[in-house]
Amino acid sequence: MTGTDLVPLDTQAAITTLARRHKAAGGVGLQVLNMIGGRAENLLERLPDAVKMGLEGATERALRVALTAAKQSRGVVPDQKGWLNTALTTAMGAVGGAGGLPTALAELPVTTTVLLRAIQGIAAEYGFDPNDPDVLTDCLTVFASAGPLADDDGANMAFLSTRVTLNGAAVHGILKSVAPRLATVLGQKLAAQTVPILGAAAGAATNYAYTSYYQEMAHVHFGLRRLAVDSGMSETLLVEELRRAVKSV
């Protein structure tokens, strides 16, 4: 008997829908790469050595700023529609890219904050409280997915299996865990924004791709969590079913 035989048809249909979201998440990234005329693994070479060496620390600081700002803003600014988040970050990416690397670096924590708020809003859509420490951990974990310029289903799927209970010490731990992966992803974005002439356009395009990607991955993440709660099935089994579905859609 296979795993699929154990999954009810309605649950299997929901998994197929999530698989389509997962597949769509990275599609726009290829358009960005085509526009800037490069490959993701070569983009980081465009950054100065000093920036590359400090990227992980800058990313962790951006995450900490985002964590505080997103939490403080929840009582003041309501969650926005996905298209509005995308429009906002796309505009910010254009501004960040227009001034080259200095403005792109300055834009980084702002974009990260908007992305985290968007992820929290999607968690709320699925009935999870973004202020719950465990749900906040899930929101941060979404940043551990591979990024829109990656072509790695294994890396994209691994974050779904992560489950950490958030406490004082764990906040530091999960930021340390997520920062290296996100640093590579954001480094590609920064490098794209430094492309001569295309800076503003590349900044807008990469932010569009990244916002679309992380919102879709948040739907996958929290959709799977909700499916586990509603169906009573183990998340481990559902992740494996999703992995199979991603390969077949």
Side-chain angles (χ1 to χ4, degrees):
M1 181 177 290
T2 65
T4 305
D5 295 330
L6 303 175
V7 180
L9 288 177
D10 57 343
T11 301
Q12 192 64 51
I15 288 174
T16 300
T17 299
L18 293 177
R20 291 196 180 103
R21 279 192 176 274
H22 186 282
K23 188 170 184 177
V28 72
L30 294 177
Q31 299 173 28
V32 173
L33 288 177
N34 289 334
M35 186 195 76
I36 61 179
R39 294 177 58 83
E41 60 266 28
N42 295 330
L43 284 176
L44 290 175
E45 297 175 7
R46 297 177 177 176
L47 292 175
D49 290 340
V51 174
K52 283 189 284 190
M53 291 177 62
L55 195 54
E56 188 172 324
T59 301
E60 187 175 342
R61 288 192 296 274
L63 279 172
R64 291 186 183 280
V65 169
L67 196 62
T68 301
K71 182 177 181 180
Q72 291 175 344
S73 69
R74 288 204 62 80
V76 180
V77 181
D79 293 323
Q80 304 298 324
K81 297 292 186 182
W83 68 266
L84 189 56
N85 292 321
T86 304
L88 177 59
T89 58
T90 299
M92 290 192 303
V95 173
L101 190 57
T103 55
L105 282 168
E107 173 240 325
L108 194 64
V110 183
T111 295
T112 305
T113 300
V114 176
L115 289 175
L116 182 57
R117 269 302 307 268
I119 293 168
Q120 289 179 324
I122 290 168
E125 279 185 43
Y126 287 91
F128 298 101
D129 180 5
N131 294 316
D132 182 288
D134 288 339
V135 176
L136 182 56
T137 302
D138 277 348
C139 292
L140 289 171
T141 301
V142 172
F143 281 126
S145 49
L149 304 188
D151 184 18
D152 185 348
D153 286 343
N156 275 337
M157 203 72 74
F159 79 104
L160 289 166
S161 305
T162 304
R163 199 65 163 159
V164 182
T165 299
L166 194 64
N167 53 44
V171 172
H172 180 75
I174 196 168
L175 289 177
K176 284 287 187 184
S177 173
V178 170
R181 171 60 63 82
L182 188 59
T184 299
V185 172
L186 294 182
Q188 293 165 348
K189 183 181 102 67
L190 288 174
Q193 287 176 286
T194 63
V195 176
I197 302 176
L198 288 178
T206 50
N207 271 25
Y208 175 84
Y210 281 55
T211 308
S212 301
Y213 173 85
Y214 283 113
Q215 287 185 124
E216 289 291 355
M217 295 306 274
H219 277 289
V220 173
H221 188 90
F222 290 105
L224 201 72
R225 294 278 192 249
R226 173 49 56 193
L227 200 55
V229 171
D230 292 345
S231 69
M233 300 179 67
S234 75
E235 289 184 11
T236 300
L237 175 60
L238 291 174
V239 169
E240 286 307 310
E241 288 303 311
L242 179 62
R243 196 186 304 276
R244 292 189 187 97
V246 165
K247 293 178 180 178
S248 62
V249 293

